[in-house]
Amino acid sequence: MDNYKKTELPEMVKITKIVYENPYVRTFFIGRKIDAQPGQFVMVWLPDLDEKPFSLSYAGNKTAITVEEKGKFTSALFKMKAGDKIGIRGPYGNGFTLKADACVVAGGCGVAPLANLIERLKNPLIIQGARSRDRIIFKGRFKGASITTDDGTAGTKGFVTDVLEAQLAKNKFSIVYTCGPEAMMKRVFEICERHGIECEASLERFMKCGFGVCGQCEADGLRVCKDGPVFPSAHLRKIKDFGSFARLKSGEKVAISDYAKWRCQ
Amino acid sequence: MDNYKKTELPEMVKITKIVYENPYVRTFFIGRKIDAQPGQFVMVWLPDLDEKPFSLSYAGNKTAITVEEKGKFTSALFKMKAGDKIGIRGPYGNGFTLKADACVVAGGCGVAPLANLIERLKNPLIIQGARSRDRIIFKGRFKGASITTDDGTAGTKGFVTDVLEAQLAKNKFSIVYTCGPEAMMKRVFEICERHGIECEASLERFMKCGFGVCGQCEADGLRVCKDGPVFPSAHLRKIKDFGSFARLKSGEKVAISDYAKWRCQ
Amino acid sequence: MNLETSLCGIKLANPVILASGILGVSRSLLSEVIRNGAGAVTIKSISLEAREGHKNPTVIAFDAGLMNAVGYSNPGTAGAKKEFTGLKGLGAPVFASIIGQDASEFEKVAEALGGLEFSAIEIPLSCPHTPGFGTLAGQDTPEKTHEIVRAVIKKTKLPVFVKLSPITRNIGDVARAAEKAGASAITAVNTMGPGMIINIDAKKPVLGFRMGGVSGPALKPVAIRCVYDIYESVKIPIIGIGGIMTGRDAIEMMMAGAKAIGVGSAVHYRGMDVFKKICSEMSEWMYENGYESFDGIIGAAHG
Amino acid sequence: MNLETSLCGIKLANPVILASGILGVSRSLLSEVIRNGAGAVTIKSISLEAREGHKNPTVIAFDAGLMNAVGYSNPGTAGAKKEFTGLKGLGAPVFASIIGQDASEFEKVAEALGGLEFSAIEIPLSCPHTPGFGTLAGQDTPEKTHEIVRAVIKKTKLPVFVKLSPITRNIGDVARAAEKAGASAITAVNTMGPGMIINIDAKKPVLGFRMGGVSGPALKPVAIRCVYDIYESVKIPIIGIGGIMTGRDAIEMMMAGAKAIGVGSAVHYRGMDVFKKICSEMSEWMYENGYESFDGIIGAAHG
Ligand SMILES: Cc1cc2nc3c(=O)[nH]c(=O)nc-3n(C[C@H](O)[C@H](O)[C@H](O)COP(=O)(O)OP(=O)(O)OC[C@H]3O[C@@H](n4cnc5c(N)ncnc54)[C@H](O)[C@@H]3O)c2cc1C
Ligand SMILES: Cc1cc2nc3c(=O)[nH]c(=O)nc-3n(C[C@H](O)[C@H](O)[C@H](O)COP(=O)(O)OP(=O)(O)OC[C@H]3O[C@@H](n4cnc5c(N)ncnc54)[C@H](O)[C@@H]3O)c2cc1C
Ligand SMILES: Cc1cc2nc3c(=O)[nH]c(=O)nc-3n(C[C@H](O)[C@H](O)[C@H](O)COP(=O)(O)O)c2cc1C
Ligand SMILES: Cc1cc2nc3c(=O)[nH]c(=O)nc-3n(C[C@H](O)[C@H](O)[C@H](O)COP(=O)(O)O)c2cc1C
Ligand code: FES
Ligand code: FES
């Protein structure tokens, strides 16, 4: 019989170390081992404030989340010091499948769940994009990444998708993993479709329960928290919202650009 | 961590066979295997009527209770046929310890839990008493029992306690197990004390929960349902109520004879 | 086993209904739930204007059940009209759930959703954790219940289900008031409490709203008793909800008096296919016990 | 860790109290419970005349807690006077629990037990499953509460604890009424519901009284919320009861506002030494978190 005792409650865990990845992004290591698949996420609770999902950028003995300061919640997180406690529940969602001959395409903070994946892959090709040099995350964590920046201050000037196209023209991959701004992921997926290559993308939606009951995070009948956040091509093809629509906290479905604007206010 | 899921709910089980032990006593075999120690009991529920404790007279693959018709509840039970269902929860309580060189002293229906015990002992001496020949239970279930009847219609005329005294004069036992009317058990215990022999007696008190929370069945701080029903000499010595007092359904403590009267009304 | 049944003239392939507030935010998710075996589905409650609801955490699971203080987040009637189109195409009846701060708001929402293809309208007067609504607004008295049901009935031809709270004393009286006012069915029950869970290491209540409604196994016996009481009070059918996890639980709820049953929290414990699982467990029990329909089952524990 | 505390001037070696109705039928069983670590013990409630209570089954355990409909079986004041002698010799305070069908019965029972060595008198106005008593007799309104507390206080010099029901709406108002009437402490809460469990193979409610009060894990969040509400309403101390199983649960209840905590159902789940276990778990947590007393703990989740 199924287990009727799945409690889903935050546990307070200590921040053991904070790494300044760049002026906008920090990695928070926590004093609890979480055995998770690359791609899984946790809900982070700041008592009295709010609770939000964050992918694990490191898992296992050293477990961490990597966070970009964007609004009220992440600002509060950025004020915390090693020794302070945050609430954690999870891990939630599914993970990336682990395949050989992989290409990893990361945009901005999307490199967080992918970093954890990269360390479990055998010599993947890594394409990492950022707006500018000072926004690159995990410099030196993995060797041989092709870096792109929008402004050319590091690596190739341009978009990760350009590098991906170029790579696909000359190399064969069994799969492309991607995480980053949804517009970027959508383009990556379209490129993969054109080349007949399997793609796995990690989607982001506003979440409430995180364990599949409230429906808040749904995208065309799939729950990003439970059926995702990592979706294979078969799902991405079915998700008409992918790259186009997302739901506000009220559940109202809006254009993904309006969602982004709301999230930025 | 302890288990927080101990449900205690009756399950309806089929009566598979009814054996007429004598005009007053029947054995009800049930279609559920209950692995119990000899001495443990179950709560039997007759929907809309009541729920009462009964010792298992057979356990394991063929599980049964042996019941004397006494009042409303047992009369209702006696109206049931093979194929009918009764509610069962348990097994509850502790069992007899299993020791070599044992003597078993059974009075009336008290032979029920002891029968189950006898089958697990190596050549115990069995002393079984009944009011008269037609009241003997489990005739032929175990060989070599010394039978006594109050009226001499079978075996030796007299009480089980007389036979016990005679036996103790010539033989050595490591333990005496007893179940029957409490006055009888008290006498058996006193004889054992005089001879310095360990005794285990199965007590009977009015029960409600059966699993140790309500306190109804208490006898001097011990719960008959949980700490008993089988008590070793060390406990019997401490239980001042033993042979003297018991509680009515209201919790009022009365002389054991008044308790018996109340139970017979 | 054929589990077909009907509720106020609405045909259901089986009596297992998705409860409001679980998964019911989108047409596509409702469709998934139907694919997973639900006999009917209820949408998450809709208010006149969009609502963001309470801040996170909004849903947690403890030892004995779930607790939520979602706070009725919903896209309002405007959003609902965009979302819930073409419902007849889903293959099972879809029930609207509408909320308001007073009778006139209920009226407006009922009217606004009128053009959509809902099969019934449920009105929860029973949320225990949203100021302005449900028990916190006193909507669970016989008087208010009567007033709100009357108002909604004026605006719709659909059957109206009234959803009651397990914390309402004399729940039978409220059910009677709903029946008298013209309700077609009673849905019982909403979440219980409210309750609170404090994280002792943070020294803070966990839910964003501090307290929230309790559902799941903790609620089941209270829900069964409520349905039992309501069954003795009204003649209209009852949709029994609260802690239903298994086919046996569903049969139990029906024996208490429910004609159909609602499932919410079980989605957490047993997955989205819990609807299929419950149906096959019901079938199995009915087969083993010689039942060919729900006739001898509904209300069987009475008398 | 020193867990000593005091309640209305009564010294307790620790704040973990045996709740009424569990094990408290005899002096010797109370003594056992004290030996197993309880800081104080409460007897099973006593009425004027002896009562047999409801028929069996009276206590059952389901997935998420216990349910009981014992129906206040007790030997009456006459029996109690014989049973509860020499209480001072037990080594921990013993609290009486008294019930009545009206204020005058409460008075008489309080008077009758006056000669015994109880340290306080608890009056439950909150049993959900015994006709004539508690919530079924409407004893949980602010008015009735005031009247009954007044009556009892006239007849005793002992501190009076008023035990409230989790199904009482606006529980803070009732607590305030009790405080105003002169109660020394609030005990919160009694069992919840009532609930019902139906055995579907028998097609019958399992409890002899059909319905009964829910305790244990299912009750905990509701009890925590009640204590939280009461703490915001009164200044007198609160004894928090409901689903306390572990030291962490006890600390949680204290953070909600309880000065002491009551334990009942946990005896089923963790054995009679649950009192010792809870105390050592509390000590451990307090040590690890740098607490030397309950000062920073009681009510910590507020504000
Ligand atoms: C499965 C999952 C994993 C996540 N993993 C991470 C992670 O590893 N690191 C991380 O920093 N964040 C992650 N997020 C996002 C995170 O949960 C917060 O939503 C984000 O940090 C916003 O922070 P905030 O509360 O401070 O901003 P708010 O107070 O919500 O202010 C609005 C901000 O949200 C931003 N935002 C964040 N992500 C997006 C996006 N994809 N689309 C549009 N707007 C967005 C806006 O840009 C804006 O700056 C994840 C979200 C999900 C659902
Ligand atoms: C642990 C335990 C094990 C038990 N095992 C058995 C068993 O194996 N077989 C069995 O028949 N009964 C057993 N009983 C007794 C049984 O639970 C009922 O109490 C008994 O059958 C009474 O039946 P009734 O309800 O029909 O009578 P009621 O309706 O309660 O009417 C009263 C009758 O109870 C009788 N009674 C039964 N036992 C005693 C006693 N020891 N002292 C005083 N009065 C007594 C009276 O003699 C009287 O006839 C056991 C009790 C306990 C606590
Ligand atoms: C996360 C969550 C959200 C809910 N939202 C609503 C809602 O919007 N409207 C409503 O009527 N009931 C709502 N409920 C109550 C459920 O419909 C249902 O009555 C309750 O959860 C009991 O059923 P269960 O034990 O099967 O979950 C919600 C319940 C949960 C758990
Ligand atoms: C079997 C049982 C009997 C009870 N009897 C009484 C009683 O006589 N008087 C009373 O005030 N409370 C009674 N209660 C309620 C408990 O004292 C307590 O308030 C409730 O069980 C919640 O606590 P718990 O979850 O720790 O059990 C009883 C509870 C149970 C389980
Ligand atoms: S966040 Fe609730 S279902 Fe995904
Ligand atoms: S019958 Fe309840 S404690 Fe023994």
Side-chain angles (χ1 to χ4, degrees), chain B residues 22-214:
Chain B
N22 70 34
Y24 321 98
V25 175
R26 292 181 197 170
T27 295
F28 299 81
F29 287 87
I30 58 172
R32 199 179 109 196
K33 189 182 157 180
I34 299 181
D35 284 315
Q37 297 296 312
Q40 286 194 289
F41 66 95
V42 292
M43 294 296 288
V44 176
W45 176 47
L46 298 183
D48 278 337
L49 189 64
D50 212 334
E51 192 193 39
K52 303 228 168 197
F54 291 89
S55 298
L56 292 171
S57 55
Y58 294 82
N61 281 329
K62 45 175 204 167
T63 291
I65 56 171
T66 297
V67 179
E68 184 171 2
E69 188 174 6
K70 288 176 179 164
K72 223 164 65 170
F73 189 83
T74 45
S75 298
L77 204 49
F78 270 46
K79 293 207 182 74
M80 303 192 87
K81 290 174 292 295
D84 289 347
K85 284 182 171 182
I86 57 176
I88 295 280
R89 60 186 175 95
Y92 293 121
N94 62 6
F96 294 100
T97 58
L98 297 174
K99 286 192 187 160
D101 303 320
C103 173
V104 177
V105 183
C109 204
V111 71
L114 294 173
N116 192 4
L117 169 73
I118 287 166
E119 285 171 349
R120 303 231 209 149
L121 293 174
K122 256 206 225 136
N123 299 320
L125 179 79
I126 304 164
I127 308 172
Q128 185 180 358
R131 272 190 263 161
S132 58
R133 179 187 190 82
D134 66 343
R135 291 205 173 251
I136 299 168
I137 304 165
F138 301 139
K139 264 178 276 195
R141 183 167 167 196
F142 17 82
K143 283 159 281 178
S146 306
I147 303 284
T148 70
T149 48
D150 300 7
D151 61 3
T153 44
T156 324
K157 182 172 156 86
F159 298 115
V160 286
T161 42
D162 304 334
V163 181
L164 177 64
E165 293 262 30
Q167 281 291 342
L168 289 180
K170 49 186 188 186
N171 288 312
K172 272 213 155 37
F173 299 99
S174 65
I175 191 162
V176 173
Y177 302 106
T178 185
C179 186
E182 195 155 310
M184 178 209 96
M185 290 194 285
K186 178 76 180 203
R187 292 237 24 231
V188 169
F189 172 62
E190 285 165 354
I191 294 167
C192 289
E193 287 291 275
R194 238 188 304 115
H195 287 78
I197 294 177
E198 173 66 12
C199 178
E200 284 185 1
S202 175
L203 268 53
E204 198 252 63
R205 288 292 181 277
F206 189 86
M207 285 182 186
K208 288 184 176 173
C209 69
F211 50 87
V213 310
C214 74

Side-chain angles (χ1 to χ4, degrees), chain A residues 4, chain C residues 64-65 189-190 214-221 223-224 240-246 249-250 252-253 261-266 269 278, chain D residues 63:
Chain A
Y4 290 180
Chain C
V189 292
N190 212 312
V214 179
S215 59
L219 173 58
K220 200 188 83 177
I224 296 280
I241 311 188
I244 304 303
M245 300 279 141
T246 64
D249 292 343
E252 182 179 355
M253 189 55 104
I261 66 121
V263 168
S265 302
Y269 297 99
I278 289 178
Chain D
D63 290 26

